Amino acid sequence: MDTIACTAGSELPGTPIDPAEYGPRTVATGPYYRRDWFEWEVEAIFRREWLQVAHVSEVQNPGDFVVREVDCCKVSALIVKGKDGVIRAFHNVCTHRGTLLVSDRPAGNAPVFTCRYHGWSFERDGSLRAAPDFDTFGLAKADCALKPIALDVCGGLIYINLDPQPRQSLAEFLGPAWDLLPYHAAATATGFSEYVYEIEGNWKLVYDNFQETYHLRFIHPRSIGTSTSPAGNFFGYADTFATFGPHRTMLLPVNPEFEPAPTAARGFGKVIQSAMERGTELGPWNRYYFCMFPDNYLLLSQANPFVHSIMPISETRTRGTVRLYWNGEDASASERFAREFAMAATRDIHSEDVSVIEACQKGILSRAIDRVHFQQHELFCHYLYDQARLRVQDWLSQQGMADAADAALEFGR
Amino acid sequence: MSAVSASDSALPRDFASLEPWVAAGWAGQTAHDRSLLRVDRSPEEVAAFHAAVAPLLDPALAYLDLFPVDRLPPAEERLMRLMLTFAHVALAVEMQGPDEVLQRVATRHMRITRAVADRPPA
């Protein structure tokens, strides 16, 4: 793989954006803390868009399953590989009286799923296998299968969509990223490292932190504050910005003068060398950072190829899950060391952001200010704000409440 | 739990000087355990661990590379985990330096739930 068909005349997926032209923006704070707005976002976005929730390596064999909670929708999803090799998702809910079907473990392997309440059992393809004294219900088994959830896979990443009839296929939703995700290490990974955090912050406020570089010098002075800012670009602004549909991408700069600490040089050097030896060829996509709507980021990098997922819990609480995907098992002690280091170093950078995000949420909750300002290089923040706003307004219109959003979007409220 | 016996902290001969660190609990079992050593132990102890292990990192990994990584004998497996702890400690000492006082709080927010090094051999 050396080239990918892409937008004509450009290496970028999507449409390049000139930050100066897109401009600075000031927006109302309501969508960052209001409960009514959050509940509309859940309906308009998280119950309707494709969400990245799992990886194919978690369900390798028939009967392998994972349970994934979509907290804001109060949905428990059971993702399972059938004996036909097909990965499917279902609501993790017994069709008898609604009991959670798998509640004792988040993952495992099962030949059949049996409800502990009255013993209804379901095949790995979701069909009802048997129910005690079933004749007394006067029902047909075929009408009692687990409720399916739309599922599709791109580049090894498993997505679900809670809309019973998704408006778009995953390929339509991802657009040009459908062809680029197979370049991420997740596409060929046999395993991953993972760390998880929960944070007092609205999901967009959390998301925004990780889609602008303006803060790097201040919050990451020793980790990436200088390694990503070459001479003449003090704030490490991206060289290129582009959007496609609701998604964004930027080309992260590097500082060629930066000298990593000894163990960093060894650790990152080894993972990059291993990736190259294993044929993980990123070509022009190395250092592309994808900010995917609504819930994740992907870094196409040989050093720390991560997928960072953001899942709202409430209007002011969010869970983040970061996974670094590895192509092939650890081949040697040196590679094992390098992967542990790459994971720990990436975690160090992400953890530096937690307290400042929570401080930002507290300040907004105080209602001392009714608006926030984005400079031109923070353009992805107001792009996300707009993508969420458009979906909420569209959904409210469909519900006959077109004006309901106004209060949250106006200054002085 | 009984006290740690000498054989529980034995390392391959060339790395025997690091055995006191194993006895003191620095060969963390999981990546999460290893990440906590960096923030739970005193800054002086973290610095001393770094100073003791840093000169032996390259020789230790070169030695361990002679073995199949998923079937390390017990002493080699201990040495591997000690080096993996060093990956976390190196960030504290070599990168964060004076700012590690902030990271001692911040990294606790991010729980390592899975690491390739912690997977049971296939």
Side-chain angles (χ1 to χ4, degrees):
Chain A
M1 292 194 290
D2 49 7
T3 56
I4 310 179
C6 210
T7 310
S10 168
E11 286 185 350
L12 280 168
T15 310
I17 292 190
D18 178 354
E21 197 171 304
Y22 197 66
R25 270 275 297 284
T26 295
V27 301
T29 54
Y32 294 110
Y33 72 89
R34 289 177 61 125
R35 180 166 299 171
D36 54 1
W37 185 271
F38 177 72
E39 288 170 353
W40 298 332
E41 286 178 334
V42 170
E43 297 300 327
I45 298 167
F46 290 93
R47 287 189 179 277
R48 279 175 166 66
E49 304 289 8
W50 289 94
L51 307 173
Q52 204 282 297
V53 296
H55 183 252
V56 292
S57 67
E58 296 178 277
V59 284
Q60 285 181 5
N61 303 307
D64 284 355
F65 70 88
V66 293
V67 176
R68 286 289 133 81
E69 311 296 332
V70 185
D71 298 79
C72 62
C73 301
K74 299 182 172 59
V75 164
S76 179
L78 174 64
I79 297 166
V80 57
K81 181 172 256 189
K83 59 185 172 187
D84 55 2
V86 176
I87 301 171
R88 299 177 177 85
F90 305 99
H91 285 277
N92 180 26
V93 171
C94 178
T95 53
H96 173 212
R97 280 166 54 187
T99 311
L100 281 185
L101 186 59
V102 180
S103 55
D104 60 338
R105 52 196 172 138
N109 182 282
V112 61
F113 299 98
T114 303
C115 180
R116 67 192 172 108
Y117 204 169
H118 303 91
W120 282 37
S121 61
F122 298 88
E123 302 284 3
R124 292 169 290 193
D125 66 1
S127 59
L128 179 64
R129 172 193 265 193
D133 228 2
F134 189 68
D135 292 345
T136 59
F137 285 95
L139 294 170
K141 272 189 181 176
D143 295 332
C144 297
L146 295 177
K147 297 299 178 189
I149 296 173
L151 179 149
D152 205 348
V153 178
C154 182
L157 300 170
I158 296 175
Y159 292 77
I160 61 172
N161 190 318
L162 298 177
D163 191 335
Q165 291 172 311
R167 293 168 300 179
Q168 293 177 298
S169 68
L170 180 62
E172 290 165 343
F173 176 69
L174 294 177
W178 177 266
D179 294 323
L180 291 172
L181 261 53
Y183 279 77
H184 193 278
T188 49
T190 55
F192 53 87
S193 305
E194 178 189 85
Y195 49 89
V196 179
Y197 62 95
E198 286 195 14
I199 185 170
E200 284 298 307
N202 179 270
W203 69 276
K204 298 185 299 299
L205 198 141
V206 176
Y207 200 114
D208 284 351
N209 177 79
F210 301 104
Q211 60 176 346
E212 53 92 353
T213 66
Y214 184 32
H215 74 283
L216 298 184
R217 280 275 176 172
F218 309 104
I219 300 300
H220 310 285
R222 295 179 185 277
S223 54
I224 51 167
T226 54
S227 64
T228 56
S229 50
N233 184 1
F234 185 79
F235 293 108
Y237 294 141
D239 300 326
T240 315
F241 296 94
T243 62
F244 47 103
H247 316 294
R248 295 79 71 199
T249 186
M250 57 173 130
L251 176 58
L252 296 174
V254 289
N255 177 4
E257 308 295 319
F258 178 76
E259 288 190 20
T263 307
R266 187 187 219 292
F268 282 130
K270 177 67 180 176
V271 290
I272 292 168
Q273 179 198 338
S274 292
M276 293 172 75
E277 286 171 2
R278 291 171 187 275
T280 308
E281 182 50 67
L282 291 174
W285 312 109
N286 198 9
R287 306 296 297 173
Y288 269 90
Y289 186 52
F290 287 86
C291 302
M292 304 299 293
F293 187 81
D295 68 327
N296 68 87
Y297 324 76
L298 301 100
L299 181 62
L300 264 68
S301 152
Q302 287 164 328
N304 48 354
F306 66 73
V307 178
H308 180 179
S309 297
I310 298 285
M311 184 59 74
I313 297 172
S314 75
E315 67 274 20
T316 55
R317 192 157 182 86
T318 298
R319 180 183 309 113
T321 303
V322 180
R323 289 176 164 191
L324 285 91
Y325 286 98
W326 305 117
N327 180 0
E329 303 296 308
D330 296 349
S332 67
S334 286
E335 186 167 74
R336 176 159 293 178
F337 174 85
R339 287 172 171 183
E340 180 110 345
F341 180 83
M343 185 249 308
T346 309
R347 170 176 173 267
D348 239 53
I349 297 161
H350 283 133
S351 66
E352 287 169 343
D353 295 299
V354 172
S355 72
V356 78
I357 295 169
E358 292 188 333
C360 187
Q361 185 70 50
K362 279 185 180 170
I364 283 177
L365 278 169
S366 79
R367 304 196 205 175
I369 56 171
D370 65 350
R371 65 199 69 188
V372 292
H373 309 289
F374 298 121
Q375 56 116 306
Q376 64 183 42
H377 289 97
E378 295 175 294
L379 74 171
F380 284 180
C381 302
H382 61 88
Y383 196 86
L384 172 62
Y385 187 96
D386 279 342
Q387 290 299 318
R389 176 182 59 78
L390 290 168
R391 281 161 179 75
V392 166
Q393 290 176 319
D394 186 42
W395 184 81
L396 286 171
S397 294
Q398 291 168 22
Q399 311 305 309
M401 303 189 291
D403 300 333
D406 295 352
L409 295 169
E410 288 171 4
F411 298 141
R413 302 294 284 263
Chain B
M1 288 285 284
S2 60
V4 176
S5 71
S7 64
D8 288 334
S9 53
L11 290 175
R13 194 184 56 198
D14 288 354
F15 305 97
S17 66
L18 298 177
E19 284 175 0
W21 295 102
V22 181
W26 284 82
Q29 282 291 340
T30 68
H32 184 66
D33 297 340
R34 295 187 285 272
S35 73
L36 286 178
L37 283 161
R38 159 189 175 186
V39 295
D40 282 346
R41 303 299 177 99
S42 73
E44 295 75 20
E45 204 180 350
V46 170
F49 176 80
H50 183 272
V53 176
L56 293 172
L57 175 67
D58 284 348
L61 292 176
Y63 170 76
L64 291 170
D65 281 345
L66 301 173
F67 297 82
V69 69
D70 282 322
R71 293 193 299 280
L72 295 173
E76 281 72 14
E77 203 262 335
R78 264 178 230 115
L79 182 62
M80 180 80 246
R81 285 189 279 111
L82 203 61
M83 294 306 125
L84 293 176
T85 297
F86 182 79
H88 300 266
V89 168
L91 288 164
V93 175
E94 298 174 23
M95 189 177 76
Q96 296 293 352
D99 286 351
E100 177 65 3
V101 64
L102 303 173
Q103 289 302 91
R104 288 175 87 85
V105 177
T107 60
R108 289 179 196 277
H109 286 285
M110 304 219 164
R111 182 176 179 82
I112 300 173
T113 44
R114 188 157 163 158
V116 281
D118 298 340
R119 291 168 67 184

